[in-house]
Short mmCIF file of all heavy atoms in Angstrom, two decimals:
data_model
loop_
_atom_site.label_atom_id
_atom_site.label_comp_id
_atom_site.label_asym_id
_atom_site.label_seq_id
_atom_site.Cartn_x
_atom_site.Cartn_y
_atom_site.Cartn_z
N LYS K 1 -9.18 -22.51 10.85
CA LYS K 1 -8.49 -21.96 12.04
C LYS K 1 -7.49 -20.83 11.66
O LYS K 1 -6.91 -20.30 12.53
CB LYS K 1 -7.66 -23.07 12.70
CG LYS K 1 -8.58 -24.17 13.28
CD LYS K 1 -7.76 -25.26 13.85
CE LYS K 1 -8.63 -26.41 14.38
NZ LYS K 1 -7.90 -27.47 14.93
N VAL K 2 -7.46 -20.47 10.38
CA VAL K 2 -6.54 -19.46 9.92
C VAL K 2 -7.31 -18.19 9.52
O VAL K 2 -8.25 -18.25 8.78
CB VAL K 2 -5.70 -19.97 8.72
CG1 VAL K 2 -4.85 -18.87 8.13
CG2 VAL K 2 -4.87 -21.23 9.16
N ASP K 3 -6.85 -17.09 10.01
CA ASP K 3 -7.45 -15.78 9.61
C ASP K 3 -6.68 -15.27 8.41
O ASP K 3 -5.45 -14.98 8.54
CB ASP K 3 -7.37 -14.78 10.73
CG ASP K 3 -8.25 -15.16 11.93
OD1 ASP K 3 -9.26 -15.84 11.69
OD2 ASP K 3 -7.91 -14.83 13.06
N GLU K 4 -7.30 -15.09 7.34
CA GLU K 4 -6.72 -14.39 6.18
C GLU K 4 -7.04 -12.90 6.28
O GLU K 4 -8.17 -12.53 6.62
CB GLU K 4 -7.27 -14.98 4.88
CG GLU K 4 -6.84 -16.39 4.63
CD GLU K 4 -7.30 -16.92 3.27
OE1 GLU K 4 -7.55 -16.11 2.34
OE2 GLU K 4 -7.42 -18.14 3.11
N VAL K 5 -6.01 -12.09 6.08
CA VAL K 5 -6.19 -10.65 6.25
C VAL K 5 -5.64 -9.92 5.00
O VAL K 5 -4.82 -10.43 4.27
CB VAL K 5 -5.44 -10.14 7.49
CG1 VAL K 5 -6.08 -10.69 8.72
CG2 VAL K 5 -3.98 -10.46 7.44
N SER K 6 -6.18 -8.72 4.82
CA SER K 6 -5.70 -7.85 3.68
C SER K 6 -4.43 -7.13 4.07
O SER K 6 -4.06 -7.04 5.27
CB SER K 6 -6.80 -6.82 3.42
OG SER K 6 -6.90 -5.90 4.40
N VAL K 7 -3.82 -6.53 3.11
CA VAL K 7 -2.60 -5.73 3.34
C VAL K 7 -2.94 -4.56 4.33
O VAL K 7 -2.22 -4.29 5.23
CB VAL K 7 -2.02 -5.18 2.05
CG1 VAL K 7 -0.90 -4.17 2.30
CG2 VAL K 7 -1.54 -6.32 1.18
N GLU K 8 -4.10 -3.96 4.10
CA GLU K 8 -4.51 -2.86 4.92
C GLU K 8 -4.74 -3.30 6.38
O GLU K 8 -4.32 -2.58 7.35
CB GLU K 8 -5.83 -2.22 4.38
CG GLU K 8 -6.36 -1.07 5.20
CD GLU K 8 -5.41 0.13 5.30
OE1 GLU K 8 -4.49 0.28 4.41
OE2 GLU K 8 -5.51 0.85 6.23
N GLN K 9 -5.32 -4.50 6.60
CA GLN K 9 -5.48 -4.99 7.97
C GLN K 9 -4.16 -5.21 8.66
O GLN K 9 -4.02 -4.95 9.79
CB GLN K 9 -6.31 -6.28 7.91
CG GLN K 9 -7.81 -6.02 7.57
CD GLN K 9 -8.53 -7.36 7.27
OE1 GLN K 9 -8.09 -8.17 6.53
NE2 GLN K 9 -9.64 -7.48 8.00
N VAL K 10 -3.19 -5.76 7.91
CA VAL K 10 -1.83 -5.97 8.45
C VAL K 10 -1.22 -4.66 8.87
O VAL K 10 -0.68 -4.47 9.93
CB VAL K 10 -0.98 -6.78 7.49
CG1 VAL K 10 0.49 -6.83 8.02
CG2 VAL K 10 -1.45 -8.17 7.26
N ARG K 11 -1.34 -3.70 7.96
CA ARG K 11 -0.77 -2.37 8.22
C ARG K 11 -1.40 -1.74 9.52
O ARG K 11 -0.63 -1.26 10.36
CB ARG K 11 -1.02 -1.45 7.10
CG ARG K 11 -0.34 -0.05 7.28
CD ARG K 11 -0.71 0.91 6.15
NE ARG K 11 -2.17 1.27 6.13
CZ ARG K 11 -2.72 2.06 7.08
NH1 ARG K 11 -2.06 2.59 8.08
NH2 ARG K 11 -4.00 2.31 7.03
N GLN K 12 -2.71 -1.85 9.65
CA GLN K 12 -3.36 -1.32 10.86
C GLN K 12 -2.89 -2.03 12.11
O GLN K 12 -2.63 -1.42 13.16
CB GLN K 12 -4.85 -1.42 10.70
CG GLN K 12 -5.43 -0.51 9.65
CD GLN K 12 -6.89 -0.76 9.38
OE1 GLN K 12 -7.46 -1.75 9.84
NE2 GLN K 12 -7.52 0.03 8.53
N ARG K 13 -2.81 -3.33 12.05
CA ARG K 13 -2.34 -4.10 13.25
C ARG K 13 -0.93 -3.80 13.59
O ARG K 13 -0.63 -3.68 14.78
CB ARG K 13 -2.55 -5.61 12.99
CG ARG K 13 -4.04 -5.95 12.87
CD ARG K 13 -4.25 -7.44 12.68
NE ARG K 13 -4.00 -8.08 13.96
CZ ARG K 13 -4.19 -9.40 14.15
NH1 ARG K 13 -4.61 -10.14 13.22
NH2 ARG K 13 -3.97 -9.90 15.33
N LEU K 14 -0.08 -3.58 12.61
CA LEU K 14 1.33 -3.21 12.89
C LEU K 14 1.40 -1.84 13.54
O LEU K 14 2.13 -1.66 14.50
CB LEU K 14 2.18 -3.29 11.65
CG LEU K 14 2.53 -4.65 11.05
CD1 LEU K 14 3.12 -4.53 9.68
CD2 LEU K 14 3.44 -5.41 12.02
N GLU K 15 0.62 -0.91 13.00
CA GLU K 15 0.57 0.42 13.58
C GLU K 15 0.09 0.43 15.00
O GLU K 15 0.57 1.23 15.81
CB GLU K 15 -0.27 1.35 12.73
CG GLU K 15 0.40 1.72 11.40
CD GLU K 15 -0.45 2.57 10.51
OE1 GLU K 15 -1.63 2.82 10.85
OE2 GLU K 15 0.01 3.02 9.41
N ARG K 16 -0.88 -0.42 15.32
CA ARG K 16 -1.42 -0.49 16.70
C ARG K 16 -0.47 -1.22 17.62
O ARG K 16 -0.60 -1.16 18.82
CB ARG K 16 -2.75 -1.21 16.71
CG ARG K 16 -3.95 -0.47 16.21
CD ARG K 16 -5.24 -1.13 16.57
NE ARG K 16 -5.34 -2.51 16.17
CZ ARG K 16 -5.99 -2.99 15.09
NH1 ARG K 16 -6.61 -2.19 14.28
NH2 ARG K 16 -6.00 -4.31 14.83
N GLY K 17 0.51 -1.91 17.11
CA GLY K 17 1.42 -2.72 17.90
C GLY K 17 0.85 -4.02 18.35
O GLY K 17 1.24 -4.61 19.34
N ASP K 18 -0.15 -4.47 17.65
CA ASP K 18 -0.81 -5.79 17.96
C ASP K 18 0.29 -6.94 17.82
O ASP K 18 1.18 -6.83 16.99
CB ASP K 18 -1.92 -6.14 16.97
CG ASP K 18 -3.14 -5.28 17.11
OD1 ASP K 18 -3.17 -4.49 18.02
OD2 ASP K 18 -4.07 -5.38 16.26
N ARG K 19 0.12 -7.91 18.68
CA ARG K 19 0.99 -9.10 18.61
C ARG K 19 0.27 -10.13 17.77
O ARG K 19 -0.80 -10.52 18.14
CB ARG K 19 1.32 -9.59 20.02
CG ARG K 19 2.18 -8.63 20.82
CD ARG K 19 2.37 -9.14 22.26
NE ARG K 19 2.80 -10.52 22.26
CZ ARG K 19 4.05 -10.88 22.54
NH1 ARG K 19 4.98 -10.05 22.86
NH2 ARG K 19 4.32 -12.18 22.55
N PHE K 20 1.00 -10.64 16.74
CA PHE K 20 0.42 -11.66 15.89
C PHE K 20 1.50 -12.29 15.07
O PHE K 20 2.60 -11.72 14.99
CB PHE K 20 -0.65 -11.11 14.95
CG PHE K 20 -0.17 -10.05 13.99
CD1 PHE K 20 0.15 -10.37 12.67
CD2 PHE K 20 -0.07 -8.73 14.38
CE1 PHE K 20 0.58 -9.35 11.78
CE2 PHE K 20 0.38 -7.77 13.52
CZ PHE K 20 0.69 -8.14 12.19
N VAL K 21 1.20 -13.45 14.54
CA VAL K 21 2.19 -14.12 13.67
C VAL K 21 1.69 -13.98 12.18
O VAL K 21 0.53 -14.33 11.92
CB VAL K 21 2.30 -15.63 14.00
CG1 VAL K 21 3.22 -16.37 13.02
CG2 VAL K 21 2.80 -15.79 15.44
N LEU K 22 2.55 -13.44 11.35
CA LEU K 22 2.17 -13.22 9.98
C LEU K 22 2.94 -14.28 9.14
O LEU K 22 4.16 -14.25 9.10
CB LEU K 22 2.56 -11.83 9.52
CG LEU K 22 2.28 -11.50 8.05
CD1 LEU K 22 0.79 -11.60 7.72
CD2 LEU K 22 2.84 -10.15 7.71
N ILE K 23 2.21 -15.12 8.47
CA ILE K 23 2.84 -16.13 7.61
C ILE K 23 2.54 -15.75 6.21
O ILE K 23 1.35 -15.61 5.77
CB ILE K 23 2.26 -17.57 7.90
CG1 ILE K 23 2.57 -17.89 9.38
CG2 ILE K 23 2.88 -18.60 6.93
CD1 ILE K 23 1.96 -19.21 9.81
N ASP K 24 3.55 -15.53 5.38
CA ASP K 24 3.48 -15.09 4.04
C ASP K 24 3.58 -16.34 3.13
O ASP K 24 4.56 -17.04 3.14
CB ASP K 24 4.68 -14.12 3.74
CG ASP K 24 4.51 -13.44 2.35
OD1 ASP K 24 4.00 -14.09 1.38
OD2 ASP K 24 5.04 -12.33 2.26
N VAL K 25 2.49 -16.60 2.38
CA VAL K 25 2.45 -17.85 1.58
C VAL K 25 2.67 -17.58 0.15
O VAL K 25 2.38 -18.46 -0.74
CB VAL K 25 1.10 -18.64 1.85
CG1 VAL K 25 1.01 -19.02 3.29
CG2 VAL K 25 -0.05 -17.76 1.44
N ARG K 26 3.22 -16.44 -0.25
CA ARG K 26 3.46 -16.18 -1.65
C ARG K 26 4.58 -17.06 -2.16
O ARG K 26 5.32 -17.64 -1.40
CB ARG K 26 3.80 -14.63 -1.81
CG ARG K 26 2.65 -13.77 -1.46
CD ARG K 26 2.97 -12.32 -1.56
NE ARG K 26 4.11 -12.04 -0.64
CZ ARG K 26 5.02 -11.11 -0.90
NH1 ARG K 26 4.96 -10.42 -1.96
NH2 ARG K 26 5.99 -10.91 0.02
N GLU K 27 4.75 -17.00 -3.45
CA GLU K 27 5.82 -17.79 -4.10
C GLU K 27 7.20 -17.24 -3.63
O GLU K 27 7.31 -16.05 -3.32
CB GLU K 27 5.70 -17.69 -5.64
CG GLU K 27 4.39 -18.31 -6.20
CD GLU K 27 4.28 -19.77 -5.93
OE1 GLU K 27 5.34 -20.43 -5.91
OE2 GLU K 27 3.13 -20.22 -5.82
N ASP K 28 8.27 -18.04 -3.74
CA ASP K 28 9.57 -17.60 -3.40
C ASP K 28 10.04 -16.34 -4.12
O ASP K 28 10.63 -15.45 -3.53
CB ASP K 28 10.64 -18.71 -3.70
CG ASP K 28 10.46 -19.97 -2.83
OD1 ASP K 28 9.72 -19.86 -1.78
OD2 ASP K 28 11.02 -21.00 -3.12
N SER K 29 9.72 -16.25 -5.42
CA SER K 29 10.10 -15.10 -6.20
C SER K 29 9.43 -13.80 -5.69
O SER K 29 10.03 -12.75 -5.66
CB SER K 29 9.85 -15.32 -7.67
OG SER K 29 8.42 -15.50 -7.89
N GLU K 30 8.16 -13.93 -5.27
CA GLU K 30 7.47 -12.77 -4.74
C GLU K 30 8.05 -12.38 -3.39
O GLU K 30 8.24 -11.17 -3.10
CB GLU K 30 5.96 -13.09 -4.56
CG GLU K 30 5.31 -13.33 -5.85
CD GLU K 30 3.90 -13.95 -5.70
OE1 GLU K 30 3.72 -14.93 -5.02
OE2 GLU K 30 2.96 -13.33 -6.30
N TRP K 31 8.32 -13.35 -2.50
CA TRP K 31 8.95 -13.10 -1.26
C TRP K 31 10.30 -12.35 -1.43
O TRP K 31 10.62 -11.38 -0.73
CB TRP K 31 9.11 -14.42 -0.53
CG TRP K 31 9.99 -14.34 0.72
CD1 TRP K 31 11.27 -14.60 0.82
CD2 TRP K 31 9.54 -13.95 2.07
NE1 TRP K 31 11.68 -14.47 2.14
CE2 TRP K 31 10.63 -14.08 2.91
CE3 TRP K 31 8.27 -13.60 2.59
CZ2 TRP K 31 10.57 -13.80 4.27
CZ3 TRP K 31 8.22 -13.33 3.93
CH2 TRP K 31 9.33 -13.44 4.73
N SER K 32 11.07 -12.82 -2.38
CA SER K 32 12.41 -12.23 -2.63
C SER K 32 12.29 -10.76 -3.05
O SER K 32 13.19 -10.02 -2.78
CB SER K 32 13.17 -13.03 -3.71
OG SER K 32 13.39 -14.34 -3.26
N MET K 33 11.23 -10.41 -3.72
CA MET K 33 11.09 -9.02 -4.20
C MET K 33 10.74 -8.07 -3.06
O MET K 33 10.94 -6.87 -3.18
CB MET K 33 10.02 -8.94 -5.28
CG MET K 33 10.44 -9.61 -6.57
SD MET K 33 9.33 -9.33 -7.99
CE MET K 33 7.72 -9.66 -7.31
N GLY K 34 10.26 -8.56 -1.96
CA GLY K 34 9.94 -7.78 -0.81
C GLY K 34 8.96 -8.40 0.10
O GLY K 34 8.06 -9.13 -0.36
N HIS K 35 9.09 -8.12 1.41
CA HIS K 35 8.15 -8.72 2.37
C HIS K 35 8.30 -7.89 3.73
O HIS K 35 9.25 -7.17 3.89
CB HIS K 35 8.49 -10.18 2.63
CG HIS K 35 9.90 -10.44 3.09
ND1 HIS K 35 10.90 -10.62 2.17
CD2 HIS K 35 10.41 -10.49 4.29
CE1 HIS K 35 12.06 -10.78 2.88
NE2 HIS K 35 11.79 -10.73 4.12
N ILE K 36 7.37 -8.10 4.58
CA ILE K 36 7.38 -7.50 5.86
C ILE K 36 8.43 -8.21 6.69
O ILE K 36 8.45 -9.41 6.74
CB ILE K 36 6.01 -7.59 6.55
CG1 ILE K 36 4.97 -6.78 5.75
CG2 ILE K 36 6.01 -7.14 7.98
CD1 ILE K 36 3.54 -6.95 6.21
N PRO K 37 9.33 -7.42 7.32
CA PRO K 37 10.47 -8.09 8.05
C PRO K 37 10.02 -9.14 9.10
O PRO K 37 10.69 -10.10 9.25
CB PRO K 37 11.13 -6.87 8.71
CG PRO K 37 10.84 -5.72 7.81
CD PRO K 37 9.43 -5.98 7.29
N GLN K 38 8.91 -8.89 9.78
CA GLN K 38 8.43 -9.79 10.84
C GLN K 38 7.80 -11.07 10.26
O GLN K 38 7.49 -12.02 11.00
CB GLN K 38 7.44 -9.14 11.75
CG GLN K 38 7.98 -7.92 12.43
CD GLN K 38 7.67 -6.60 11.69
OE1 GLN K 38 7.75 -6.57 10.47
NE2 GLN K 38 7.44 -5.54 12.45
N ALA K 39 7.50 -11.08 8.96
CA ALA K 39 6.77 -12.21 8.38
C ALA K 39 7.62 -13.48 8.36
O ALA K 39 8.80 -13.41 8.18
CB ALA K 39 6.26 -11.86 6.96
N ILE K 40 6.91 -14.60 8.44
CA ILE K 40 7.51 -15.94 8.26
C ILE K 40 7.10 -16.36 6.86
O ILE K 40 5.93 -16.34 6.50
CB ILE K 40 7.05 -16.87 9.33
CG1 ILE K 40 7.45 -16.36 10.70
CG2 ILE K 40 7.56 -18.29 9.07
CD1 ILE K 40 6.76 -17.16 11.87
N HIS K 41 8.02 -16.86 6.09
CA HIS K 41 7.69 -17.34 4.76
C HIS K 41 7.55 -18.87 4.71
O HIS K 41 8.47 -19.62 5.08
CB HIS K 41 8.79 -16.94 3.76
CG HIS K 41 8.49 -17.37 2.36
ND1 HIS K 41 9.30 -18.22 1.62
CD2 HIS K 41 7.46 -17.13 1.52
CE1 HIS K 41 8.81 -18.43 0.44
NE2 HIS K 41 7.64 -17.76 0.33
N ILE K 42 6.37 -19.30 4.34
CA ILE K 42 6.12 -20.75 4.12
C ILE K 42 5.29 -20.77 2.88
O ILE K 42 4.12 -20.32 2.83
CB ILE K 42 5.30 -21.39 5.31
CG1 ILE K 42 6.07 -21.22 6.60
CG2 ILE K 42 5.11 -22.84 4.99
CD1 ILE K 42 5.33 -21.73 7.78
N GLY K 43 5.84 -21.33 1.77
CA GLY K 43 5.13 -21.42 0.52
C GLY K 43 3.84 -22.17 0.61
O GLY K 43 3.73 -23.15 1.35
N ARG K 44 2.82 -21.69 -0.08
CA ARG K 44 1.55 -22.36 -0.09
C ARG K 44 1.63 -23.81 -0.39
O ARG K 44 0.93 -24.66 0.19
CB ARG K 44 0.59 -21.65 -1.05
CG ARG K 44 -0.82 -22.10 -0.99
CD ARG K 44 -1.67 -21.41 -1.96
NE ARG K 44 -1.20 -20.08 -2.27
CZ ARG K 44 -1.98 -19.09 -2.63
NH1 ARG K 44 -3.24 -19.25 -2.79
NH2 ARG K 44 -1.48 -17.92 -2.94
#
């Protein structure tokens, strides 16, 4: 039920103004180094 997308696909959707929920499942240390402001962080 989950769509996995590439960085490029996210960029395109943001540019189009699509409405979606982005869940970032990277490690805490990766999240801390940088993330998309609208993303929700939930570790894998």
Side-chain angles (χ1 to χ4, degrees):
K1 297 178 182 181
V2 173
D3 293 330
E4 293 186 22
V5 295
S6 69
V7 172
E8 179 62 22
Q9 289 170 309
V10 171
R11 185 187 63 74
Q12 290 171 353
R13 292 182 75 175
L14 287 170
E15 287 178 354
R16 285 194 306 258
D18 292 354
R19 292 176 50 106
F20 62 98
V21 175
L22 177 63
I23 301 174
D24 189 327
V25 298
R26 295 175 301 149
E27 298 296 329
D28 291 347
S29 60
E30 295 170 308
W31 170 265
S32 296
M33 290 189 311
H35 58 273
I36 295 173
Q38 301 93 322
I40 298 168
H41 181 239
I42 304 176
R44 188 181 330 209

